[in-house]
Amino acid sequence: MSAAVSQSSSKIDVDNVTNTDKDKHKRSVEDDEDVTTKIAKTSKNVPNLRNSENSHDTDITNSMDIGLLIQPLEKINSNKRAELLLKIWEPDHTFIFPISRDRKLKFQLSWLKKWSWLTYSKLHDGAFCKFCVLFKRNEGGRGNQKLGKLVLEKFFNWKKEIEEFNKHEATKYHRNSILDADNLLSIYNKSKEFIDIQLNNKLKIEIQENRKKIIPIIETIIFCGRQGLALRGHNDSGIISLQNSQIYNDGNFRESLRFKVEAGDKNLANHLETAPRNATYLSPEIQNEVINACSNMIIEQLVSKINSAKCFTVLADETTDISGIEQLDFLKFVPVHDVTGKGLATTVMDSLNELGLELKYLRGQGYDGAAAMSGHFNGVQAHVTKNYPLAHYIHCSFHSLNLAISDAFCVFFKYPKRNNVLTESISSICPSSNVIRLKLLCPTRWVDRHDSIIVFIDLFDAIIESLTKVCSWFDKDSSSGAYQLLCSIKQPEFVLATFVLAKVFGISLPLSKHLQTKNIDLIDAIENADSVRCIIESIRKNAESEFKSIFDEVKTKCDALNIEISLPRRTNVQKNHCNRFLSHKTVLKNFTCLLPSSNGKFEEDNIKQLIEMYQDDLDCGKLAAIGEIKTWQQKFVQSQVFPKNSLDALQKCNEMIFPSTFKLLQILANLSVTTANNERSFSTLKRLKTYLRNTTCENRLNGLALLNIYREIILKPEDVLNKLAIKTRRIRLM
């Protein structure tokens, strides 16, 4: 029976049917109209009705004559169709059939028993197939010819009844009508579900099975993306072979799928073994669609979170990838060609708009010190500030602290032969040292620069001996390079500067580590930087006493190298970096009223200036805001438990009681300290877009980068599949 249902189901009219109780089988206004009334309307248009001898003036409009259903009736639902099938009028033994005038023949009552599908129309004095009439189709038979006798036309050639009835009974469309009627009556009698429900269930099961096959593929792509693994390999097209050993490297993605199959994923195994070549869902195009769907979902969550906060700062930095494309990073990588301040500002603003960010909530900017970014007139920050005056520019604190020094020694000793000489010198001269090689100065990990200087000082004597040995080599490149470095390293200025730099780096190391922490508070950063500044200024003021110990150590080194050295006079050190770093104090001056302290004295003018600056962000008048902030300050004066920083204050602030204070603290917490997060993104970029994958398209690059960077955002494979299912696919997914 199930085969019959699937074969003929598409031809059955089962409108508005559900698999629930009768109350849910609500009929439309048209369907609620009584069937006999419809028949009555139709009967008025039936021409040439025969007046039989036994009509006795019976009102034929109230009968259930099959002849009234030949003409197209209004659309009826399955319940009505079943009622008609059960209530079709059939003559009994008392009925007198009309005699044909030509051959004196008439319809025989015994025919109704011999052919159960047969019925007689009193209106037309002809025979019909009640099943084919009720479930009639426009066409049927060989070549889909138009239906005629017993369906759309009466049969009344009583001389050829046996031949025609048997012929009709053998037709395919008649058998389909029988099956349709049987299914409908079974449903009507509650013996099985409605056919459209059966079809829906079958489709539902098919969709569920299809989704089970595709889900493991999506899971694998997400896994590779989160782990920063390259998906594609040397040969990654076509059907996947499930053999254990593979001659060719077809990538992490396909190998991971094999691993899932070996782990017992039967749905995936069945899909890989039986899927047609044009519906494997393994191609790079499908991979890109999945990656783009993941990328869009992550961006949507980030943008929704940012817009709901109604306050955000944009951090942007630029770098050149392996293929020479200048990439600007903020939420995602954007290739740029115009690297002027105006061009970069336009790229930033247009991209933020495309992402759906509400720029009216932009309250801060954070870039490095490059002129194109930080320029007061034509820099990015200047162009952005013109349109959004409240977007205060904060120079990256760590870039201000960062100092550029040469890594020539590390590069020189990176070759195996030269490094072996250095290793031997370290073993003989510095046997107690735990370090066996120089540390390369990392351009992005600034803390490593402190370590590289300290390691250089520890291995200073071993480096001198190594360079001396290499100078005697016959290899001109090595010997000449070693000689140049040896001459440089023996210069008194170099030795003294290196040891002084190590001293300064030792002081600034805690600050460097602090500036790279996440959710760092700008006020905390300024205070720590101010402490470092005070220490360094103290060293400068007392140079003779502070550097006495350093100079003694340096002089010992120089004496061993036959280098003459004397204590230099105090010189004025440039303060550009320090002044730039601490210039943020001006921005924070008014915000300090929001962070009460035990010895803090706040000017009311600062509160007024702060409120005037952010009046559009506050939902109250100036006087109300001033009173609220003073009440906020008094709260901590009474408790003597003061907030540590803006984030701590924000957590202690009840938005319902102190709405203006909460908003201003939110703005303060959003002001940037460093662009360290952008530097971390560049590390991801270098791992993803390597010399082997330098043609990766921008969308794929961004999708994989977002999956790898925002690991805390959980993506459900089912949600990703729903995104894919919106587009028409070769297999049903939704």
PDB file of all heavy atoms in Angstrom, residues 474-495:
ATOM      1  N   PHE A 474      87.682  30.897   5.907  1.00  0.00           N
ATOM      2  CA  PHE A 474      87.962  31.211   4.510  1.00  0.00           C
ATOM      3  C   PHE A 474      86.704  31.683   3.775  1.00  0.00           C
ATOM      4  O   PHE A 474      86.804  32.223   2.680  1.00  0.00           O
ATOM      5  CB  PHE A 474      88.548  29.990   3.809  1.00  0.00           C
ATOM      6  CG  PHE A 474      89.929  29.642   4.283  1.00  0.00           C
ATOM      7  CD1 PHE A 474      90.133  28.566   5.134  1.00  0.00           C
ATOM      8  CD2 PHE A 474      91.027  30.393   3.883  1.00  0.00           C
ATOM      9  CE1 PHE A 474      91.403  28.246   5.566  1.00  0.00           C
ATOM     10  CE2 PHE A 474      92.299  30.082   4.314  1.00  0.00           C
ATOM     11  CZ  PHE A 474      92.500  29.003   5.161  1.00  0.00           C
ATOM     12  N   ASP A 475      85.578  31.406   4.385  1.00  0.00           N
ATOM     13  CA  ASP A 475      84.311  31.872   3.808  1.00  0.00           C
ATOM     14  C   ASP A 475      84.253  33.396   3.938  1.00  0.00           C
ATOM     15  O   ASP A 475      84.139  33.933   5.033  1.00  0.00           O
ATOM     16  CB  ASP A 475      83.123  31.221   4.540  1.00  0.00           C
ATOM     17  CG  ASP A 475      81.781  31.642   3.960  1.00  0.00           C
ATOM     18  OD1 ASP A 475      81.769  32.460   3.019  1.00  0.00           O
ATOM     19  OD2 ASP A 475      80.756  31.143   4.441  1.00  0.00           O
ATOM     20  N   LYS A 476      84.339  34.097   2.777  1.00  0.00           N
ATOM     21  CA  LYS A 476      84.422  35.551   2.829  1.00  0.00           C
ATOM     22  C   LYS A 476      83.170  36.182   3.424  1.00  0.00           C
ATOM     23  O   LYS A 476      83.255  37.152   4.181  1.00  0.00           O
ATOM     24  CB  LYS A 476      84.664  36.102   1.421  1.00  0.00           C
ATOM     25  CG  LYS A 476      86.031  35.760   0.860  1.00  0.00           C
ATOM     26  CD  LYS A 476      86.225  36.409  -0.496  1.00  0.00           C
ATOM     27  CE  LYS A 476      87.619  36.091  -1.042  1.00  0.00           C
ATOM     28  NZ  LYS A 476      87.852  36.713  -2.367  1.00  0.00           N
ATOM     29  N   ASP A 477      81.986  35.654   3.060  1.00  0.00           N
ATOM     30  CA  ASP A 477      80.741  36.236   3.579  1.00  0.00           C
ATOM     31  C   ASP A 477      80.692  36.141   5.096  1.00  0.00           C
ATOM     32  O   ASP A 477      80.356  37.110   5.793  1.00  0.00           O
ATOM     33  CB  ASP A 477      79.531  35.529   2.967  1.00  0.00           C
ATOM     34  CG  ASP A 477      79.376  35.840   1.490  1.00  0.00           C
ATOM     35  OD1 ASP A 477      79.901  36.874   1.048  1.00  0.00           O
ATOM     36  OD2 ASP A 477      78.731  35.035   0.792  1.00  0.00           O
ATOM     37  N   SER A 478      81.034  34.965   5.605  1.00  0.00           N
ATOM     38  CA  SER A 478      80.986  34.764   7.055  1.00  0.00           C
ATOM     39  C   SER A 478      82.062  35.574   7.764  1.00  0.00           C
ATOM     40  O   SER A 478      81.806  36.239   8.782  1.00  0.00           O
ATOM     41  CB  SER A 478      81.139  33.281   7.383  1.00  0.00           C
ATOM     42  OG  SER A 478      80.086  32.523   6.821  1.00  0.00           O
ATOM     43  N   SER A 479      83.300  35.529   7.268  1.00  0.00           N
ATOM     44  CA  SER A 479      84.412  36.200   7.947  1.00  0.00           C
ATOM     45  C   SER A 479      84.257  37.715   7.916  1.00  0.00           C
ATOM     46  O   SER A 479      84.482  38.392   8.932  1.00  0.00           O
ATOM     47  CB  SER A 479      85.737  35.789   7.307  1.00  0.00           C
ATOM     48  OG  SER A 479      85.753  36.131   5.918  1.00  0.00           O
ATOM     49  N   SER A 480      83.834  38.261   6.754  1.00  0.00           N
ATOM     50  CA  SER A 480      83.667  39.720   6.678  1.00  0.00           C
ATOM     51  C   SER A 480      82.503  40.188   7.538  1.00  0.00           C
ATOM     52  O   SER A 480      82.576  41.224   8.209  1.00  0.00           O
ATOM     53  CB  SER A 480      83.461  40.149   5.226  1.00  0.00           C
ATOM     54  OG  SER A 480      82.287  39.552   4.683  1.00  0.00           O
ATOM     55  N   GLY A 481      81.414  39.416   7.533  1.00  0.00           N
ATOM     56  CA  GLY A 481      80.283  39.778   8.380  1.00  0.00           C
ATOM     57  C   GLY A 481      80.626  39.729   9.845  1.00  0.00           C
ATOM     58  O   GLY A 481      80.232  40.608  10.625  1.00  0.00           O
ATOM     59  N   ALA A 482      81.373  38.692  10.242  1.00  0.00           N
ATOM     60  CA  ALA A 482      81.780  38.578  11.642  1.00  0.00           C
ATOM     61  C   ALA A 482      82.699  39.721  12.040  1.00  0.00           C
ATOM     62  O   ALA A 482      82.613  40.249  13.159  1.00  0.00           O
ATOM     63  CB  ALA A 482      82.459  37.232  11.860  1.00  0.00           C
ATOM     64  N   TYR A 483      83.582  40.127  11.129  1.00  0.00           N
ATOM     65  CA  TYR A 483      84.519  41.211  11.438  1.00  0.00           C
ATOM     66  C   TYR A 483      83.770  42.524  11.649  1.00  0.00           C
ATOM     67  O   TYR A 483      84.068  43.292  12.568  1.00  0.00           O
ATOM     68  CB  TYR A 483      85.538  41.350  10.307  1.00  0.00           C
ATOM     69  CG  TYR A 483      86.531  42.453  10.541  1.00  0.00           C
ATOM     70  CD1 TYR A 483      87.597  42.285  11.440  1.00  0.00           C
ATOM     71  CD2 TYR A 483      86.412  43.668   9.860  1.00  0.00           C
ATOM     72  CE1 TYR A 483      88.504  43.319  11.659  1.00  0.00           C
ATOM     73  CE2 TYR A 483      87.313  44.694  10.076  1.00  0.00           C
ATOM     74  CZ  TYR A 483      88.357  44.518  10.977  1.00  0.00           C
ATOM     75  OH  TYR A 483      89.256  45.545  11.203  1.00  0.00           O
ATOM     76  N   GLN A 484      82.778  42.793  10.810  1.00  0.00           N
ATOM     77  CA  GLN A 484      82.009  44.030  10.944  1.00  0.00           C
ATOM     78  C   GLN A 484      81.242  44.054  12.266  1.00  0.00           C
ATOM     79  O   GLN A 484      81.198  45.075  12.958  1.00  0.00           O
ATOM     80  CB  GLN A 484      81.047  44.169   9.768  1.00  0.00           C
ATOM     81  CG  GLN A 484      81.733  44.408   8.426  1.00  0.00           C
ATOM     82  CD  GLN A 484      80.766  44.423   7.274  1.00  0.00           C
ATOM     83  OE1 GLN A 484      79.549  44.378   7.475  1.00  0.00           O
ATOM     84  NE2 GLN A 484      81.285  44.481   6.050  1.00  0.00           N
ATOM     85  N   LEU A 485      80.636  42.935  12.600  1.00  0.00           N
ATOM     86  CA  LEU A 485      79.896  42.869  13.867  1.00  0.00           C
ATOM     87  C   LEU A 485      80.834  42.987  15.061  1.00  0.00           C
ATOM     88  O   LEU A 485      80.503  43.621  16.073  1.00  0.00           O
ATOM     89  CB  LEU A 485      79.108  41.556  13.937  1.00  0.00           C
ATOM     90  CG  LEU A 485      77.912  41.418  12.984  1.00  0.00           C
ATOM     91  CD1 LEU A 485      77.309  40.030  13.087  1.00  0.00           C
ATOM     92  CD2 LEU A 485      76.859  42.471  13.283  1.00  0.00           C
ATOM     93  N   LEU A 486      82.014  42.374  14.941  1.00  0.00           N
ATOM     94  CA  LEU A 486      82.968  42.429  16.046  1.00  0.00           C
ATOM     95  C   LEU A 486      83.446  43.856  16.281  1.00  0.00           C
ATOM     96  O   LEU A 486      83.590  44.301  17.435  1.00  0.00           O
ATOM     97  CB  LEU A 486      84.151  41.509  15.747  1.00  0.00           C
ATOM     98  CG  LEU A 486      85.181  41.330  16.866  1.00  0.00           C
ATOM     99  CD1 LEU A 486      84.510  40.735  18.104  1.00  0.00           C
ATOM    100  CD2 LEU A 486      86.328  40.442  16.402  1.00  0.00           C
ATOM    101  N   CYS A 487      83.688  44.570  15.183  1.00  0.00           N
ATOM    102  CA  CYS A 487      84.094  45.968  15.327  1.00  0.00           C
ATOM    103  C   CYS A 487      82.990  46.807  15.974  1.00  0.00           C
ATOM    104  O   CYS A 487      83.260  47.692  16.801  1.00  0.00           O
ATOM    105  CB  CYS A 487      84.451  46.552  13.954  1.00  0.00           C
ATOM    106  SG  CYS A 487      85.940  45.854  13.229  1.00  0.00           S
ATOM    107  N   SER A 488      81.767  46.527  15.601  1.00  0.00           N
ATOM    108  CA  SER A 488      80.641  47.285  16.168  1.00  0.00           C
ATOM    109  C   SER A 488      80.445  46.984  17.643  1.00  0.00           C
ATOM    110  O   SER A 488      80.217  47.889  18.456  1.00  0.00           O
ATOM    111  CB  SER A 488      79.355  46.953  15.400  1.00  0.00           C
ATOM    112  OG  SER A 488      79.464  47.305  14.047  1.00  0.00           O
ATOM    113  N   ILE A 489      80.545  45.716  17.995  1.00  0.00           N
ATOM    114  CA  ILE A 489      80.262  45.325  19.368  1.00  0.00           C
ATOM    115  C   ILE A 489      81.339  45.806  20.331  1.00  0.00           C
ATOM    116  O   ILE A 489      81.104  45.960  21.530  1.00  0.00           O
ATOM    117  CB  ILE A 489      80.096  43.794  19.450  1.00  0.00           C
ATOM    118  CG1 ILE A 489      79.334  43.403  20.723  1.00  0.00           C
ATOM    119  CG2 ILE A 489      81.433  43.082  19.426  1.00  0.00           C
ATOM    120  CD1 ILE A 489      79.007  41.938  20.790  1.00  0.00           C
ATOM    121  N   LYS A 490      82.549  46.097  19.795  1.00  0.00           N
ATOM    122  CA  LYS A 490      83.640  46.562  20.649  1.00  0.00           C
ATOM    123  C   LYS A 490      83.642  48.069  20.826  1.00  0.00           C
ATOM    124  O   LYS A 490      84.478  48.603  21.554  1.00  0.00           O
ATOM    125  CB  LYS A 490      84.983  46.119  20.062  1.00  0.00           C
ATOM    126  CG  LYS A 490      85.273  44.637  20.241  1.00  0.00           C
ATOM    127  CD  LYS A 490      86.673  44.291  19.748  1.00  0.00           C
ATOM    128  CE  LYS A 490      86.999  42.829  20.012  1.00  0.00           C
ATOM    129  NZ  LYS A 490      88.385  42.485  19.586  1.00  0.00           N
ATOM    130  N   GLN A 491      82.716  48.739  20.164  1.00  0.00           N
ATOM    131  CA  GLN A 491      82.630  50.187  20.337  1.00  0.00           C
ATOM    132  C   GLN A 491      82.120  50.510  21.744  1.00  0.00           C
ATOM    133  O   GLN A 491      81.139  49.919  22.211  1.00  0.00           O
ATOM    134  CB  GLN A 491      81.687  50.791  19.304  1.00  0.00           C
ATOM    135  CG  GLN A 491      82.173  50.694  17.871  1.00  0.00           C
ATOM    136  CD  GLN A 491      83.435  51.485  17.641  1.00  0.00           C
ATOM    137  OE1 GLN A 491      83.601  52.598  18.163  1.00  0.00           O
ATOM    138  NE2 GLN A 491      84.354  50.911  16.872  1.00  0.00           N
ATOM    139  N   PRO A 492      82.770  51.422  22.469  1.00  0.00           N
ATOM    140  CA  PRO A 492      82.341  51.761  23.843  1.00  0.00           C
ATOM    141  C   PRO A 492      80.879  52.199  23.905  1.00  0.00           C
ATOM    142  O   PRO A 492      80.150  51.851  24.828  1.00  0.00           O
ATOM    143  CB  PRO A 492      83.294  52.902  24.230  1.00  0.00           C
ATOM    144  CG  PRO A 492      84.467  52.758  23.334  1.00  0.00           C
ATOM    145  CD  PRO A 492      83.951  52.197  22.044  1.00  0.00           C
ATOM    146  N   GLU A 493      80.457  52.975  22.880  1.00  0.00           N
ATOM    147  CA  GLU A 493      79.074  53.454  22.882  1.00  0.00           C
ATOM    148  C   GLU A 493      78.084  52.289  22.818  1.00  0.00           C
ATOM    149  O   GLU A 493      77.027  52.295  23.472  1.00  0.00           O
ATOM    150  CB  GLU A 493      78.855  54.397  21.697  1.00  0.00           C
ATOM    151  CG  GLU A 493      79.618  55.698  21.761  1.00  0.00           C
ATOM    152  CD  GLU A 493      81.051  55.529  21.267  1.00  0.00           C
ATOM    153  OE1 GLU A 493      81.417  54.395  20.890  1.00  0.00           O
ATOM    154  OE2 GLU A 493      81.792  56.540  21.263  1.00  0.00           O
ATOM    155  N   PHE A 494      78.421  51.269  21.987  1.00  0.00           N
ATOM    156  CA  PHE A 494      77.523  50.127  21.843  1.00  0.00           C
ATOM    157  C   PHE A 494      77.404  49.357  23.150  1.00  0.00           C
ATOM    158  O   PHE A 494      76.310  48.996  23.583  1.00  0.00           O
ATOM    159  CB  PHE A 494      78.029  49.197  20.730  1.00  0.00           C
ATOM    160  CG  PHE A 494      77.179  47.971  20.530  1.00  0.00           C
ATOM    161  CD1 PHE A 494      76.093  48.005  19.684  1.00  0.00           C
ATOM    162  CD2 PHE A 494      77.457  46.789  21.205  1.00  0.00           C
ATOM    163  CE1 PHE A 494      75.301  46.885  19.505  1.00  0.00           C
ATOM    164  CE2 PHE A 494      76.669  45.661  21.040  1.00  0.00           C
ATOM    165  CZ  PHE A 494      75.583  45.710  20.175  1.00  0.00           C
ATOM    166  N   VAL A 495      78.552  49.099  23.786  1.00  0.00           N
ATOM    167  CA  VAL A 495      78.545  48.321  25.022  1.00  0.00           C
ATOM    168  C   VAL A 495      77.760  49.044  26.106  1.00  0.00           C
ATOM    169  O   VAL A 495      76.894  48.468  26.781  1.00  0.00           O
ATOM    170  CB  VAL A 495      79.989  48.043  25.482  1.00  0.00           C
ATOM    171  CG1 VAL A 495      79.979  47.237  26.784  1.00  0.00           C
ATOM    172  CG2 VAL A 495      80.775  47.313  24.411  1.00  0.00           C
TER     173      VAL A 495
END
